[in-house]
Structure formats: structure tokens, C-alpha cells
Amino acid sequence: MTPLTQILAIARAGNPARAWELFRSSGWNERNDDPKALTLKGRLLKNQAKAADGVDRARLYGEAAEAYAAAAELERDSYPLINAAALALLGGRPERARSLAKETLALLESDPGQGENAYWREATRAEALLLLEDEAGARAALAAGISNLPRAWEDHAATIGQFELILAEQGKDAAWLDRHRPPPSLYFSGIIGLDDTDATLLQDIDAIIAREKPGFGFGALAAGADILIAEALHKAGAELHVILPYPVDRFRELSVAPYGDHWGARFDALIEAAARLDVLTELPDEAEPSIAVAVELADLVAMGQCVRNAAVLSSKPKALTITGLGDEPRSQHLVWANSGHDQNMIAVARKGGHRSIVTSSRAETREIAAILWVEGVGRDMLPALVNAADDFSSFGDACYRISPSPSELLQTGLLLLQHDPDCRISLLVDIIDPQRPAASLLEKAGDIARASRGGAILTDGKSAMVLTIDPGKQRVEEIGELQTASGPLPLWSLT
């Protein structure tokens, strides 16, 4: 990873101040001969501008615009040039913006190879036309770009966000952008014991999907509600993202096969159709958590993936859950309700003879909990920093705390970072015996913490998704990978 790439990763991790500090201290801020450094400078200044107000905001946008413009002078490329144009407008220099927008259009006309792909070429043209206040031309160019790559959802979302800033600065209505927004994401779940031939139920599922128009579905594939909803999503053209608590064969054995032979082929077809499949544990049978706890964690991860996907695409997360008539809401459904996101519910009569698979065993000592791992802060220092210092345990030179409340531990970790930005902290959410945490989990927490460069709490993908559901103000960003003996482990930051 190059120094500039490392700085960019820190900025993406939600720590723009630290990224800028490293950029300046490494001397990159003085480099006017490197287009990559100037482009990164523009990006970092743009990030600062978004967080600033008034005069400072306009100044930072203006400085970002000139950094991008300097990069474009060194290496004629429509990407820094159009960014310079847009940021000049946001920095209060509309004539400069118009001039740079005209340069962008001329460059696109003279060089057919401009633009990262067929979408970005037209999106860049649309942005230049928008800056020239040719809204009709901008609309046509954006529509053309989207038709070139209709499922480049993240690219579409980035463009819409940029256009919203421009239109707000111009004092114009941005409602026309709504037709181009990526579709909503849908978390789905429900009971096993239902009649899968119930025409009314099937019609209700189809009606909700037709109304909400989700482009993505996130959930498991247990016999019953999961499979019925997933089939309807697939039929409607939505991407399926399947999250299973156990390996595929084990999940099929526990949650599909016992409920009728006809479910097996449907399960297999949906696994084959899935755009993505996540398996949360590969533990051997003797270490397998109870299905009740495992399903709850898988549901939380599916919710987080749904919320995250919607946030990345600037669209909306929604849920569809099928419950039994008179059922008390399950804990994970309350989590979704407390998040404030839209929820669609269908209640049906349970089919006789079907037991719930989500009843916890009395022998199960493990629960969904979080572990906060801290290195670089002496245990004798903790009482002065956090109220719950006595709840920390020692492990070599590190200390850790386990709690059923991930958000509480996150706040503790953030307090420690305020005291010492260089301390190394990780936070993991998993199925844990609070009295006897697995050695493998402690080792993983330590490995992740030691990968930190400071300034952020690190976590893994599964935990990041659970923490994404929390409606708090924490920022969750993917920053790279940690190479481990069992393969690469995606790393995420919490700030």
C-alpha cells in the first residue's frame, strides 16, 4: 500500500483530520508536481469543507477546487477537472465553475477515452451541463449514463449526492433526481410454521414487494417465510444477499430439511441465485452455538447489511417480516423497530405441528455480546478514564471488557480514544460466554487491535454490520484487510 493510499484509507475510515495531519506532515501538501497527490489534497479539503460552516466552508471548497484544477493541468483528466468545477461553485466562484465546466465538456468531446467507464463519461457531461445551468441537457446526459450501466448503483448514488449539492447551491429543486435513485434494500425474516400454499399470503408478499420495489434483499433461507419472500424478491429481479448462521449443509439440515422435502430444492435454487452468501461461523459441531442464538445474530447481521447498503446507495432500508398470529415480537424485530426504519408485517396462522427453532436451550451459556479490547492504556489508568474500570479483565499487556451492550462498549472505547488517540482498540460482537470467552475470540480481538494506527476502533465485518443498525452517530467504514493464518479478515473502523 502506497503512502497516499494509506492516507486515503484513513480518510475513508472516518478520520479526515488525522488523514490531513499525516498528509501535511509527510510533505505531500507542498507537492505541486504530482497529480495523484493534488487529487488527494482536493478530496481531503472537500471532506473538511463538508464538516465546516460559513466562511471556512467556502474557503476550504475553494482550496479543494484549485487542488483538483492543478491536478488536471498536470494530467488532463475529466475527473479532477469536473471536481474542480463543482467545488468552485460551492466555494462561491460561479464564473470559475462555468469556465471549468466548459473545459470539461471540451475535453470529453476531444477525447473519447475520457471517463472511467460508459456511465461516468455521461455523468461527467451531465454535471458540467448542470454547472452551466442547462438542466434539460443534464437530465438527458444522466439518463443516458444510467442506461449504459443501469446497475452501477454506487456510482449512481455518488452522482446524485454531488448533484444535490450543486442544485442546493443554485437554489433549484432536486426532486427530479429521485427517479434515478437506487432502489431500497429489504431485510426479510419470518416464521417457519406456515402454509406455503396460502394464496392470500403469497399475494400479500407480492403486493408489498411491488409497492416497495426493493432492489436488494437481505436474510436467511429457512423453510417458510424466508424462502417465500426470497422467491418473490428473486422473481421481481432483486439481488439476493443470503446470511446464514451455519455452513450451508448444516443450515439446510437444521432449518430446511425437517419441514418437508419440497423445501430442499427451493433452498438450493435460491442459494444458487444469490448474489452474495455470507456464512457467519465455520465452527465444528461441538462448538456450535444453539440455533436460537445463532439465528438472532444472523438476523442482526442481515439488518446491518440492509441498512449499510441503503446508506451507501443513498436509498432507504425497509423490512418485511411474517409472524404468527398473536406472537410476541422477537428481540431482533424490536431492534429494527427501534432503528426507526420502515417495517412491513404480515401475520398468519401457524401451521399445526411446527415447533419454533428459535427457543433457547437452558443449557446454553452463550449470548450475543460485545468484547472491547484495549492495548496501550495501562489498567491502572482505567479508573480515571471510564466508570466501569473494575469490569475489565487482564490478558497479558492488554485488557478487555465483555458486555451485552455493544453501544455501551463503543462509547467507552471512544472515551479512551479521546484520552489517547494512539491507543489500540478493537470491538467485536459475537456469540460469547461472558464468564469463559473463547481463547480464539480473545486472540482475534488482540490481532485486530494491533492492526490499528490509532484514532479509530477497529472491528470485523460481522460486528460492523451489527453496529450499523444502532441509530447513534458512529461512523462505520471498511478500511482494508488483515492477513491471518486462516485467510484475509476484512477490517472496519468505528469513529
Side-chain angles (χ1 to χ4, degrees):
M1 186 180 288
T2 67
L4 289 177
T5 305
Q6 290 177 335
I7 294 169
L8 179 58
I10 293 171
R12 285 175 172 167
N15 201 337
R18 190 174 181 84
W20 179 248
E21 177 186 352
L22 183 58
F23 186 81
R24 292 186 61 186
S25 64
S26 301
W28 290 108
N29 190 42
E30 305 302 323
R31 292 284 298 272
N32 296 314
D33 59 347
D34 186 328
K36 289 185 173 60
L38 286 164
T39 298
L40 179 56
K41 180 179 180 179
R43 179 172 184 151
L44 295 175
L45 287 167
K46 178 182 177 180
N47 287 344
Q48 292 181 53
K50 287 182 176 180
D53 295 309
V55 175
D56 284 342
R57 183 170 190 164
R59 174 183 59 80
L60 288 165
Y61 271 135
E63 291 177 7
E66 292 313 307
Y68 274 118
E73 284 293 327
L74 292 173
E75 188 174 272
R76 299 303 285 171
D77 188 340
S78 58
Y79 170 74
L81 194 55
I82 193 60
N83 271 284
L87 294 172
L89 175 69
L90 298 176
R93 299 182 64 191
E95 290 307 314
R96 173 69 166 158
R98 292 178 65 86
S99 174
L100 291 168
K102 289 176 181 178
E103 280 189 50
T104 303
L105 289 175
L107 181 58
L108 291 172
E109 290 303 317
S110 65
D111 183 358
Q114 284 293 319
E116 183 180 333
N117 54 41
Y119 168 74
W120 278 115
R121 180 178 175 83
E122 292 306 312
T124 300
R125 188 191 311 280
E127 187 169 346
L129 291 169
L130 193 63
L131 289 165
L132 293 169
E133 300 192 57
D134 180 359
E135 188 173 299
R139 290 190 187 204
L142 180 58
I146 289 175
S147 69
N148 287 335
L149 286 173
R151 299 181 77 85
W153 305 119
E154 289 191 37
D155 294 345
H156 302 173
T159 299
I160 289 170
Q162 183 84 333
F163 282 23
E164 286 176 328
L165 289 174
I166 293 170
L167 289 165
E169 186 68 23
Q170 294 174 336
K172 295 182 178 177
D173 187 6
W176 63 271
L177 292 171
D178 290 345
R179 74 190 67 172
H180 299 301
R181 290 187 188 279
S185 299
L186 184 81
Y187 157 66
F188 62 91
S189 64
I191 63 174
I192 282 182
L194 50 70
D195 180 3
D196 60 301
T197 65
D198 181 343
T200 300
L201 171 59
L202 299 177
Q203 289 170 5
D204 287 345
I205 294 171
D206 286 340
I208 290 172
I209 290 174
R211 183 183 71 233
E212 302 291 0
K213 296 181 174 59
F216 315 87
F218 298 83
L221 292 177
D226 287 355
I227 287 180
L228 293 183
I229 298 172
E231 287 176 336
L233 286 166
H234 183 53
K235 182 176 67 175
E239 281 186 11
L240 280 182
H241 294 246
V242 176
I243 301 93
L244 301 182
Y246 300 136
V248 173
D249 290 345
R250 180 61 172 155
F251 184 81
R252 194 181 195 278
E253 175 189 351
L254 291 173
S255 303
V256 181
Y259 302 96
D261 293 341
H262 65 295
W263 290 111
R266 297 164 77 173
F267 171 84
D268 295 339
L270 290 168
I271 288 289
E272 182 67 24
R276 174 171 171 167
L277 170 64
D278 287 314
V279 173
L280 298 190
T281 180
E282 297 287 354
L283 295 174
D285 289 347
E286 61 267 25
E288 186 177 89
S290 73
I291 194 165
V293 181
V295 165
E296 182 179 354
L297 180 58
D299 272 342
L300 293 174
V301 172
M303 291 180 202
Q305 287 192 7
C306 176
V307 171
R308 172 73 183 178
N309 195 62
V312 168
L313 300 183
S314 299
S315 60
K316 292 184 178 180
K318 299 173 181 289
L320 171 54
T321 301
I322 300 175
T323 65
L325 284 170
D327 284 1
E328 291 291 327
R330 287 159 55 189
S331 60
Q332 52 267 53
H333 298 153
L334 294 175
V335 168
W336 184 271
N338 290 336
S339 73
H341 300 305
D342 292 349
Q343 187 166 24
N344 299 278
M345 306 284 289
I346 301 174
V348 298
R350 283 185 177 272
K351 197 171 182 179
H354 279 270
R355 62 178 177 82
S356 171
I357 66 169
V358 292
T359 301
S360 296
S361 164
R362 291 182 180 179
E364 178 64 78
T365 60
R366 288 169 292 182
E367 63 183 9
I368 296 173
I371 178 170
L372 181 71
W373 185 277
V374 181
E375 296 194 9
V377 175
R379 196 159 189 274
D380 56 336
M381 292 284 294
L382 287 175
L385 303 176
V386 294
N387 294 329
D390 291 342
D391 294 332
F392 278 82
S393 301
S394 297
F395 193 92
D397 294 332
C399 56
Y400 68 89
R401 182 182 167 208
I402 295 173
S403 168
S405 173
S407 58
E408 178 191 358
L409 290 189
L410 176 59
Q411 294 308 311
T412 299
L414 293 174
L415 282 174
L416 292 172
L417 282 178
Q418 287 179 15
H419 168 75
D420 183 0
D422 293 321
C423 66
R424 296 174 299 281
I425 302 178
S426 66
L427 176 62
L428 298 179
V429 180
D430 214 321
I431 298 171
I432 305 172
D433 184 338
Q435 302 304 316
R436 299 177 58 189
S440 59
L441 179 66
L442 298 178
E443 290 169 3
K444 180 180 179 181
D447 288 344
I448 291 176
R450 286 186 288 274
S452 171
R453 290 177 171 269
I457 300 170
L458 297 192
T459 189
D460 63 359
K462 175 171 58 179
S463 307
M465 292 304 98
V466 176
L467 290 160
T468 295
I469 312 165
D470 190 329
K473 294 182 179 180
Q474 70 272 12
R475 182 167 176 168
V476 184
E477 295 291 341
E478 189 170 12
I479 59 171
E481 290 184 340
L482 174 65
Q483 296 300 323
T484 69
S486 57
L489 176 69
L491 285 181
W492 293 68
S493 74
L494 308 166
T495 55

